[in-house]
Amino acid sequence: MRSPQVLAKGDHIAILRDGHLTIERERTVTTVPLAAVEEVRQTGATSLVLVLTDGVTRPLPEGNTYSAPAFRAAVTEALPTRRDPAGSALLTTEEGPDWIPVWAVWLGVVGFLGAWTVYVWLTGAAHGEGMGMAAFGAVPGLLLGGLGVLAAVNSARDRVLLARRGITVVATRAYYPNGKKAGHYTFTDASGNELTTHYGSGRSTNEIHVVYDPEAPSKRHAASEPAYATVVKHTLGLLTGGGILALGLWGALAPYV
């Protein structure tokens, strides 16, 4: 089965699926049945326009000299023999989930790096090279330590919830179509949904026990393990994350105290 073809540039994304196209732009997702498409017209080496059966046109994301013709060929091949003249009347539009624009992410990254550079330079200029180096290492320490502590706390919370209401099942090793062993296991919850877990991916066994939360099986599940192993693992995680966070705090505060 051919994978759905995607044409994307920034936040403008078009995906060819069975019987329809989805076009995403910012938070708007438009579904276009292929029966409403007259043709995909190439207007340049890398640009395409979707022409509907009622004559309305919609620009598609710009690709490159390979992806644009390939996407056009894939859509053309998938078009049904019989089209619907209603065209644009068949399209449906809905608002997607909230998201952060790509430009805002990059602006935040550049702003963070700029502030870090100024902070290190000012600290080194005012308190000497040694304190400047301490300040340089403080920011990664605060970030890594804070993220480590947060991850350990969230994981411990999930384990407590799983201990209270978790359901344990047998998960079986997944295999690729060519017979090669995959690095994940699959299991089925009480509702009949087949789920994938990467817990135990390093094991050689064909089966593992997985405990899942019936209220959120896809988000909250883990390999079954003895209580002492859970306590030791999360204690070490908290100590490691807390130690890195403490070093980061020292590096940030030492020049000024």
Side-chain angles (χ1 to χ4, degrees), residues 5-252:
Q5 191 139 342
V6 178
L7 196 63
K9 184 174 183 180
D11 57 10
H12 193 188
I13 305 169
I15 307 174
L16 173 62
R17 303 183 185 276
D18 290 338
H20 67 277
L21 280 166
T22 55
I23 302 174
E24 304 173 19
R25 194 159 201 171
E26 295 181 349
R27 293 184 56 228
T28 302
V29 181
T30 302
T31 301
V32 184
L34 293 181
V37 177
E38 181 64 34
E39 65 169 321
V40 177
R41 186 176 299 160
Q42 189 153 351
T43 56
T46 60
S47 56
L48 303 173
V49 171
L50 189 67
V51 182
L52 303 178
T53 52
D54 60 353
V56 175
T57 61
R58 279 180 168 266
L60 292 173
E62 187 140 346
N64 55 46
T65 53
Y66 290 90
S67 63
F71 191 83
R72 177 175 180 268
V75 175
T76 301
E77 181 184 347
L79 290 177
T81 305
R82 299 182 63 181
R83 319 286 173 79
D84 193 323
S88 55
L90 301 175
L91 275 57
T92 57
T93 301
E94 59 183 5
E95 292 294 315
D98 291 333
W99 59 283
I100 302 175
V102 175
W103 65 265
V105 174
W106 280 108
L107 183 63
V109 170
V110 172
F112 168 76
L113 292 176
W116 183 17
T117 301
V118 171
Y119 164 68
V120 172
W121 179 79
L122 289 176
T123 301
H127 301 280
E129 183 179 345
M131 286 302 177
M133 293 301 295
F136 179 82
V139 175
L142 289 172
L143 286 175
L144 293 175
L147 290 174
V149 169
L150 182 62
V153 169
N154 285 337
S155 180
R157 179 205 61 190
D158 288 348
R159 284 288 185 171
V160 170
L161 290 175
L162 290 173
R164 287 174 51 196
R165 62 190 187 209
I167 297 174
T168 303
V169 295
V170 173
T172 57
R173 170 77 69 178
Y175 286 85
Y176 295 112
N178 63 1
K180 184 179 179 181
K181 185 184 295 184
H184 61 273
Y185 292 81
T186 61
F187 65 96
T188 304
D189 66 12
S191 299
N193 300 309
E194 186 175 285
L195 303 169
T196 298
T197 179
H198 288 275
Y199 282 97
S201 59
R203 301 184 186 181
S204 59
T205 58
N206 285 324
E207 293 183 346
I208 62 170
H209 290 179
V210 171
V211 54
Y212 71 88
D213 182 356
E215 295 186 9
S218 62
K219 295 181 179 180
R220 190 174 295 120
H221 59 263
S224 181
E225 63 184 10
Y228 73 86
T230 298
V231 172
V232 170
K233 183 168 60 178
H234 287 84
T235 299
L236 289 175
L238 283 170
L239 290 175
T240 302
I244 296 173
L245 182 60
L247 288 174
L249 285 171
W250 176 84

